[in-house]
Amino acid sequence: MATAILQQPGKAAAKPRTKTNRSFLRGLLTNKKALVGMTVMVAFIVLALLAPVLFPGDPSRITAMASMEPDAEHLLGTTAKGQDVLALTIHGARSSLLVGLTVGFASTFIGILVGLASAYFGKVIDEALSLVTNVFLLLPGLPLLVILAAFLPPGLGTVILVLIVTGWAGSARVLRSQALSIRSKDFVAAAVVSGERAGRIMFREILPNMASIVMGTLLACVIYGIGAQAGLEFLGLGDVSTVSWGNNLFWAGNEGALLTGSWWVFVPSGVCIALVAFALALINYAVDEVTNPRLRKIKTPKSSASPAERSAAK
């Protein structure tokens, strides 16, 4: 009898949670910042998927004279080796977006596991996980990235592994704080007393109520992954044989594009990185606006009264 009574709060809490998630998605799809950001991201993803169709074969092959300015045949010109810059840029989106999305999802997933376990179990587990998280947060990010990338074998997998190892701690700390506040709610206490398993409580009761903060954390981790990969490869610590935006900038610097003023070689990849980061930031701002009542714009209805009537009312 007591168990049945205690289960009712958990079941009753499911309806508001579903409505909240639906209103969150509806608000996100009607937000102008989110629509602009998602449009830009979809455009880059479509270009990355169609890269083998648009520019079949090896994008690094020499197709024209060296250092040609943009023209009708080569819309973004050629590099100092005679490679088509547009082909390198579009094919580079495949590697950069793959690394960014993989690092973003993996870092967020690890952050969810660590944050939920730390907040739910508490005591010794919380102290141990918090200690590990604090160690990774205190370690200087860029030197650690450089050291790991320098000593591990080169390759795309190494870059992804290094970025995940150095990028999960921040998301774990943020998600732990949010999970701690939800852990103290009545519906979670009712689920614990009713005998539900820890995994079900964490992923069915606590996690759905953290949708907005998880979304924001994911977007931030994707931005970090794309920017950090470009930084590592620009320093020559990535796999220089792969085509990516970071490697495009690395070769542009090595081949003297900056010194010779060949702006068409390094500007496209830099602009692409900036546009993707800008699009993800717009989506992140939109998530904040949808979930934070203080940031929502309240539309006041326009008065239909004439100026004379308004002055008479005063």
Side-chain angles (χ1 to χ4, degrees):
M1 184 72 178
T3 302
I5 295 175
L6 288 171
Q7 286 176 344
Q8 290 179 357
K11 293 181 179 179
K15 293 182 179 179
R17 181 179 63 206
T18 304
K19 292 181 179 179
T20 301
N21 292 338
R22 288 178 180 176
S23 62
F24 167 73
L25 293 175
R26 189 181 303 111
L28 197 62
L29 292 176
T30 55
N31 187 282
K32 293 182 180 179
K33 292 185 179 69
L35 290 177
V36 172
M38 288 187 288
T39 301
V40 174
M41 284 304 302
V42 169
F44 273 105
I45 292 173
V46 170
L47 284 175
L49 294 176
L50 294 178
V53 178
L54 297 174
F55 295 95
D58 184 9
S60 300
R61 70 183 185 276
I62 298 174
T63 59
M65 297 292 293
S67 300
M68 290 178 57
E69 294 187 5
D71 55 20
E73 186 178 357
H74 302 280
L75 298 179
L76 293 180
T78 61
T79 67
K81 296 177 182 177
Q83 301 161 321
D84 189 88
V85 176
L86 182 58
L88 292 174
T89 304
I90 294 180
H91 275 269
R94 297 171 65 86
S95 173
S96 296
L97 292 180
L98 174 63
V99 171
L101 293 174
T102 303
V103 171
F105 278 99
S107 299
T108 305
F109 179 71
I110 295 174
I112 289 173
L113 293 180
V114 174
L116 287 178
S118 183
Y120 180 79
F121 294 107
K123 297 181 181 180
V124 178
I125 294 180
D126 184 23
E127 293 178 0
L129 293 177
S130 296
L131 176 62
V132 175
T133 303
N134 291 334
V135 169
F136 277 90
L137 286 175
L138 292 175
L139 289 174
L142 182 59
L144 182 60
L145 279 172
V146 172
I147 292 173
L148 291 176
F151 284 95
L152 291 175
L156 200 61
T158 297
V159 174
I160 292 174
L161 178 62
V162 168
L163 296 181
I164 293 174
V165 169
T166 57
W168 66 270
S171 60
R173 174 55 59 88
V174 172
L175 295 172
R176 173 186 175 275
S177 301
Q178 183 71 10
L180 278 174
S181 63
I182 299 176
R183 175 70 173 82
S184 60
K185 300 295 183 181
D186 292 339
F187 67 89
V188 176
V192 173
V193 176
S194 65
E196 291 190 14
R197 292 177 296 178
R200 180 180 177 83
I201 295 174
M202 288 190 292
F203 291 100
R204 296 293 298 273
E205 300 293 341
I206 298 178
L207 184 59
N209 291 280
M210 298 167 54
S212 60
I213 193 69
V214 169
M215 175 75 90
T217 302
L218 172 63
L219 296 173
C221 288
V222 173
I223 295 174
Y224 160 77
I226 294 175
Q229 182 209 12
L232 283 177
E233 291 177 341
F234 181 72
L235 295 175
L237 297 174
D239 186 2
V240 294
S241 63
T242 62
V243 178
S244 66
W245 292 334
N247 278 328
N248 292 345
L249 296 176
F250 167 75
W251 287 115
N254 276 9
E255 294 168 359
L258 296 172
L259 298 176
T260 59
S262 302
W263 57 267
W264 58 88
V265 178
F266 57 85
V267 166
S269 295
V271 169
C272 287
I273 295 173
L275 282 177
V276 170
F278 176 69
L280 292 172
L282 282 180
I283 300 174
N284 200 359
Y285 293 150
V287 171
D288 290 339
E289 289 183 357
V290 171
T291 57
N292 190 346
R294 296 182 180 180
L295 299 178
R296 295 175 188 170
K297 296 180 180 179
I298 302 176
K299 296 182 180 180
T300 56
K302 296 181 179 179
S303 176
S304 59
S306 63
E309 292 175 348
R310 289 197 296 269
S311 60
K314 294 181 180 179

